[in-house]
Amino acid sequence: MSSASGFSPLAWDSDFFGQRIARVIADDFGRDSADRIIRGARDASIDCLYLLVDAEDSERVVAAEGAGFQHVDIRITRERGISADSDAEELPEDIDLCSADDIPGLSAIARKSHRDSRFYHDPAFSRERCDDLYETWIQNACQGMADAVVVARREGRAIGYVTCEIPEPGLGNLGLVAVAADEGGRGYGGRMIEGALGWLARRDCSRVRVVTQARNARANGLYESRGFETVSVENSYHLWLGAGEDR
């Protein structure tokens, strides 16, 4: 589907959820184009449209809400600089890289740890399938889809994770971050972040980016305490078009 349609189908999401899902191209979306894009999505048998717009773009925010999009998340993107001189320390004793033996335990953590995400706040997605999503995500990350998965260990057992990616030279991304619920408050989250920053710094990254939800107060405090500064705030919307009545 070309950008002329104003939306782009998402094959992975569609296959996983069993619904035809597409992302609206935000630059093409506005008050004058919303109806055309939605009609085109209906004609293409799209079940759900994702839309992400700058929270300060009042024209597009009004257009989205006027077109019936459901507000499901406020997405905050933060960045900080790192350097090999100050950040490239070796991993602390209780911080390590994941192994195949860690996957079952990390999968169980993932199923319970990401309830602040937009999928859980859209009742059209079943909670069980959302649990499956994050279990699949961490499994794929550990099996090579992420560049690294930094884990925290207690008595040899992995009790938390941070996924790391290098999407372009010099830039690192922190993806999924979680600590087992019964291990919270022990500082593992902060030590994993420091370990991930060190891992990225040793691979010549000079900037690190992380995305979280505004409703996730603990994560926001953690990133701010580690020097991450906000670079964008975006509203995330879903629009169900009624094509998939069995969802």
Side-chain angles (χ1 to χ4, degrees), residues 133 183 204:
L133 171 65
E183 299 291 351
D204 298 323

Side-chain angles (χ1 to χ4, degrees), residues 12 23 37 147 150 168 188:
W12 193 94
R23 184 182 305 281
I37 292 171
D147 291 305
V150 174
E168 61 185 64
Y188 287 114

Side-chain angles (χ1 to χ4, degrees), residues 72-113:
V72 291
D73 189 19
I74 298 175
R75 169 186 166 120
I76 301 176
T77 302
R78 292 183 172 88
E79 284 190 10
R80 60 158 286 182
I82 57 174
S83 72
D85 292 336
S86 59
D87 296 292
E89 298 180 1
E90 294 298 324
L91 295 175
E93 184 177 351
D94 59 350
I95 306 298
D96 197 1
L97 296 180
C98 76
S99 69
D101 291 341
D102 296 324
I103 294 176
L106 297 183
S107 297
I109 295 170
R111 291 187 69 85
K112 300 178 179 179
S113 297

